[in-house]
Structure formats: C-alpha cells, structure tokens
C-alpha cells in the first residue's frame, strides 16, 4: 500500500495507492492531515443498479438529519412573525418601525458570519462545526424568551444572526462533498423543503404554545421562543454523532462504497480540493458569482418577506389572529411539494436556468394576484402561487451556483458569497411590508415583483452565457481532437487549479 506521506508525484493515484485506513483519505480536506495530496481516485465504477442503491443509502443517512436541522433553524429565525400575533409588540412597548428594525438587524450579522463559517467548516469537521452552530443559536433563542424590553430583543436578534449565519451555506457546501453536480439540486431541495415545513409547523406550534400565556409569569410569545429553543438544544446535543463528516470516514459505507463515492466526485470534478487562499481570491474575483449574488438577493428578499409577514398578510385579509396562524399552513404545504418536485425535475433534466425562469414567473403571477384583486379568497390563492414559486427557487439557485464553481474551497467561498449577499435581502424584507400600507400592502408586493423581475433578467443572461461558453469550449476541444469526456486523469491533474476555467469543465445550464 502506498505511503500516506506528502506526495510529490505528478501522476494521479490509482486504486492501489488508496488506503482508506490512513489519514489523508479520511477527510475531503486533505490539509487537515499530514498530506497535501488531493489528487483524483481511480476505481472501477459501480453498475447503474449499484449506484442507485448507493445514492439511496446516502440519502437515508444524510438528508433527514440535515432537513431536521434546517427546519429548526428556519423555525427559530421566523417565529418572531408568529410571536407578533401574540402581543409581542404590546408587551415590549414597541411602536412604529420597531418590529421592522428587529427583523432587519438580524441579517447584516447573519451575512457577516457566512464566509468565515464555510472556511471554518473546510478547516474543521462538519460534525464539530454544525454542532457548535446549533447549540449557539438554541441558547440565544431561549434567551429571547427571557427578555422584557425592545433592546433585549434587538440584542438577541443580533446574536441569533451570528449563530445561524453559517448553517445554510454550510449544509449546501456539505452536500457537494457527497454528491455529483447533477445530484445536488434535489438533495438541496429535500433539506430546504424543511423551511416550508417550518412555516406550516410553526403556525400550528405557535397556535398551541400561545395557550400557555401566563404560565410561570411568561407571555405566550415568550414560551414560543423558549420551547422552540429547547427543542433545538435537545437535537443539537446529538448532532455531533448524527452527522457523518466525509465519505471516506462514513461508518455506514463499506470500503468499496467509500471508494466509489470518492471516484464519482473525482470524475465529476477533477479539480483541486486543497485549502489555499488563492482559491478564496479566485472566488472573490469571479464575476459569475457576483451575478448569482444579485439573482439571489432578488429571490431571498421575497422569501423572507413571505416567511416573516405571511401571518400578518393573512390576518389583514380579515381573519382573526388564531385563524391566520392556522391559515399559513396550506400555502407552506403546497410550497413544500413544489420545492421537492421542481428540483427533482431540474436534476433529471440536467438544467437549472429554465426551471428558475419558470418558477420566477409563477412567483410574479402570485404577487400580481395580491396586487390586482381585493377579494380575500383570490388574494389567499395568490399566496399559494407566490410561496410555491419563491420557496422552489432557493434550492434551484443554490444548486446552480454550486454546480458552476470548480474546486472545493472556491466552491465553499462562492456559495457563502452567494447566500450571504442574498441574505441581505432579509434586512430589506423587514421594511417591505409596513404597517401604514395595510391591509393590502400593495407597495410591498410591487417591490417584490420588481426584485423577482430583476432576477428573471439576470437568469436569462446567465443561461445564454453558459450555453455559449460550453459551446466555445466544445469547439476548442474539437480543434484539439479531444472531446470533454476524453480527458485523462493526468490531463485533469494538470488543470486542477484552474477551477471552472479549466477547459474540461462544463457549466450546468
């Protein structure tokens, strides 16, 4: 068996060089070990039936817990919208734009945490870092139930933003460590669908917990924060053992399965997975990532606006507080189904752009129904279309971004840049729906329509760009009499540091 010391070979390792019992192949981040050799793994591929069985095994052991984590995250982030209907503002003496400020102050700190967090997850193990994130935000959430003034709410929202900031980009990055690019979208949708479940579950849970008003001298809204925080802390206590770090260390995989997962990832990318700061610089200078960032902020602003204000919007259609809490459930349930189905179809089609455009159009139609019609039933139907479109778009744009960034660290930083900038939309969302605009909130709906339209335009541009660039690279390969699939491991190894600029790399359109 080959030595695991630092390699200086210029040839990619073969299966005989691979020892999964030794340190360099136990983690995807080889910088954490004695070796800096992250070169591709060669092995005989599994059959189609064996591959399907392997993917089902990965899905079963990875996705459910990731979905649970994100459900709790989104529940704790947005439950302030439910608490508002249980006299949060009155008890904390909040007036004017105080509620909007409390929502918005969360996001700058949330964004600031994202890039450093993904770099830390690259440096440390996911099981360690994701556990730190969960325990931290659960403690902050419990503290939110103990406050007695507006200043305390602001302070807790700041720390909640810092604590939660790394979770979504971290999980998005984590999924790319296990699945090929064409498989990422559906898995991202599976865990993100928990956000829609959080919306539905949150309304039901808040309705029940609000009945504890006065228990222990605490208001109903305080118990919403405390009990949901305790639930997260309970799950976080087990997360270290529930999260599998890397394919090569996964106890639930056999040795041959570990080799196959590594081989599939190497075959799909063939780019550097090393921890070097030059890849951070590559991400910061990549104009394509910046365009995706603007697409994302145009989608995340409506996402948070609906998540934070849907109870208020439905309440202002003429329904009581308790009824409004319950009526948030059906739109989220439908959105959950659309999120999974839409991203599954995108994975099967091997395309993202056309699906993004379709669901962006659906979102705009839903919001136009809210703007153009004053009939409550029609407006309520509009919330179904708007939520179904917007929630489906989030994993779509996340997968499109991760699919089109080459190299491990650059991909991690690029995902954090995209999600981080997009989450600034959360700060904007706090001021989209203002009290003075109720009951119709027409100005707020129009703002969201304009933002989604911006994303629609940029998505169209990037779809055409990726198609043209792929065609250009095909022409160059043809001139060199070398089809994209004809690249040998040696040729990929030579270009591994070029990221998605490598000639053998093809963009997902």
């Amino acid at each position: 068996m080959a030595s695991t010391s630092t390699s200086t070979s210029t040839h990619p390792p073969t299966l005989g060089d691979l020892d999964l019992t030794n340190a360099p192949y136990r983690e995807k981040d080889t910088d954490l070990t004695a070796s800096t050799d992250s070169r591709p793994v060669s092995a005989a591929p599994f059959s189609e039936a064996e591959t399907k069985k392997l993917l089902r095994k990965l899905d079963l052991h990875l996705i459910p817990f990731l979905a649970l984590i994100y459900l709790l995250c989104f529940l704790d982030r947005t439950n302030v919208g439910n608490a508002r209907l249980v006299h949060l503002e009155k008890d904390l003496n909040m007036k004017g734009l105080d509620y909007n400020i409390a929502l918005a102050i969360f996001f700058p700190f949330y964004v600031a945490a994202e890039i450093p967090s993904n770099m830390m997850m690259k440096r440390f193990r996911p099981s360690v870092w994701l556990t730190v994130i969960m325990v931290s935000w659960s403690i902050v959430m419990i503290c939110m139930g103990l406050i007695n003034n507006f200043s305390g709410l602001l302070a807790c929202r700041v720390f909640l933003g810092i604590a939660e900031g790394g979770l979504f980009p971290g999980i998005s990055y984590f999924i790319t460590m296990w699945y090929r690019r064409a498989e990422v979208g559906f898995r991202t949708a599976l865990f993100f669908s928990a956000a829609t479940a959080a919306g539905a579950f949150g309304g039901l849970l808040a309705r029940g917990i609000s009945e504890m008003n006065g228990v222990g001298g605490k208001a109903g809204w305080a118990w919403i924060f405390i009990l949901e925080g305790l639930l997260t802390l309970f799950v976080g206590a087990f997360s270290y053992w529930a999260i599998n770090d890397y394919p090569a260390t996964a106890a639930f995989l056999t040795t041959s399965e570990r080799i196959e997962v590594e081989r599939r990832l190497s075959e799909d990318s063939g780019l550097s997975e090393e921890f070097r700061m030059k890849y951070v610089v590559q991400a910061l200078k990549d104009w394509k990532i910046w365009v995706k960032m603007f697409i994302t902020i145009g989608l995340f602003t409506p996402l948070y606006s609906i998540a934070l204000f849907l109870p208020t919007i439905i309440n202002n259609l003429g329904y009581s507080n308790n009824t409004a809490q319950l009526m948030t459930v059906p739109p989220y349930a439908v959105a959950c189904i659309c999120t999974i189905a839409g991203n599954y179809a995108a994975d099967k089609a091997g395309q993202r752009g056309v699906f993004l455009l379709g669901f962006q159009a659906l979102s705009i139609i839903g919001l136009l129904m809210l703007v153009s019609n004053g009939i409550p039933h029609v407006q309520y139907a509009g919330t179904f279309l708007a939520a179904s479109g917007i929630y489906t778009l989030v994993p779509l744009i996340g997968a499109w971004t991760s699919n089109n960034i080459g190299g491990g660290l650059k991909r991690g930083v690029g995902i954090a840049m995209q999600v981080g900038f997009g989450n600034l939309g959360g700060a904007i969302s706090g001021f989209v729906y203002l009290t003075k605009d109720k009951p119709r909130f027409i100005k707020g709906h129009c703002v969201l329509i304009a933002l989604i339209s911006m994303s629609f335009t940029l998505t169209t541009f990037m779809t055409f760009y990726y198609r043209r660039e792929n065609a250009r690279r095909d022409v160059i390969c043809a001139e060199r009499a070398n089809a994209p699939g004809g690249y040998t491991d040696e040729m990929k190894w030579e270009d591994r540091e070029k990221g998605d600029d490598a000639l053998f790399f093809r963009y997902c359109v």
Side-chain angles (χ1 to χ4, degrees), residues 113-168:
E114 291 186 321
I115 293 178
S117 180
N118 260 20
M119 294 178 68
M120 292 294 285
M121 197 165 87
K122 176 70 176 175
R123 176 61 67 178
F124 297 104
R125 290 181 294 148
S127 60
V128 173
W129 192 245
L130 293 177
T131 298
V132 168
I133 289 174
M134 283 195 73
V135 172
S136 299
W137 100 61
S138 65
I139 292 173
V140 174
M141 180 54 54
I142 293 169
C143 291
M144 280 183 65
L146 305 177
I147 61 174
N148 53 27
N149 55 50
F150 177 55
S151 298
L153 178 62
L154 291 181
C156 286
R157 291 285 292 177
V158 166
F159 285 106
L160 186 65
I162 295 172
E164 285 193 358
L167 188 70
F168 183 80

Side-chain angles (χ1 to χ4, degrees), residues 170-421:
I171 293 179
S172 299
Y173 182 33
F174 177 75
I175 287 176
T176 68
M177 298 178 182
W178 293 81
Y179 295 95
R180 300 176 70 158
R181 290 190 295 160
E183 300 158 354
V184 165
F186 178 56
R187 276 75 189 182
T188 302
L190 287 175
F191 96 76
F192 182 76
S193 64
T196 60
F201 180 58
L204 292 171
L205 194 59
R207 175 66 183 88
I209 295 176
S210 63
E211 295 298 322
M212 294 181 64
N213 185 50
V215 175
K218 306 298 294 183
W221 60 263
W223 281 114
I224 291 175
F225 295 145
I226 292 171
L227 293 183
E228 292 181 3
L230 286 171
L231 177 60
T232 302
L233 184 61
F234 175 78
V235 175
F238 297 96
S239 60
Y240 176 81
W241 294 276
I243 297 171
N244 292 276
D245 290 311
Y246 306 101
T249 60
F252 69 89
L253 295 177
T254 65
T255 299
S256 62
E257 288 171 337
R258 296 174 195 168
I259 294 173
E260 174 63 8
V261 174
E262 295 282 1
R263 187 202 65 77
R264 297 177 80 249
L265 294 172
S266 176
E267 180 182 74
D268 190 48
S269 172
L271 299 169
S272 175
E273 300 293 339
E274 297 165 342
F275 191 99
R276 294 183 183 176
M277 289 306 296
K278 72 175 184 178
Y279 300 127
V280 177
V281 175
Q282 283 182 7
L284 293 172
K285 294 170 64 176
D286 191 335
W287 67 269
K288 300 184 294 298
I289 296 177
W290 284 88
V291 174
K292 295 287 184 60
M293 289 161 61
F294 280 94
I295 294 175
T296 304
I297 198 171
L299 304 179
F300 277 28
T301 304
L303 169 72
Y304 286 117
S305 297
I306 286 183
L308 295 169
F309 286 96
L310 186 58
T312 301
I313 293 171
I314 294 177
N315 177 238
N316 280 279
L317 294 181
Y319 301 99
S320 68
N321 287 352
N322 287 338
T323 301
Q325 297 273 32
L326 296 176
M327 288 185 69
T328 61
V329 176
Y332 283 122
V334 174
C336 181
I337 296 171
C338 287
T339 298
I340 295 173
N343 282 272
Y344 177 79
D347 269 11
K348 286 297 183 182
Q351 297 191 43
R352 311 280 182 216
V354 65
F355 286 89
L356 279 160
L357 293 172
F359 283 103
Q360 286 163 359
L362 182 66
S363 304
I364 292 172
I365 292 171
L367 290 167
L368 284 173
M369 291 173 66
L370 287 164
V371 169
S372 62
N373 199 299
I375 302 174
H377 289 85
V378 175
Q379 291 182 294
Y380 186 54
T383 65
F384 279 80
L385 298 184
S388 296
I390 290 167
Y391 275 86
T392 306
L393 289 167
V394 175
L396 275 173
I397 186 60
W400 208 30
T401 301
S402 64
N403 285 172
N404 291 325
I405 303 177
L409 183 57
K410 182 183 178 182
R411 184 172 61 251
V413 173
I415 291 171
M417 288 170 60
Q418 173 237 342
V419 175
F421 189 78

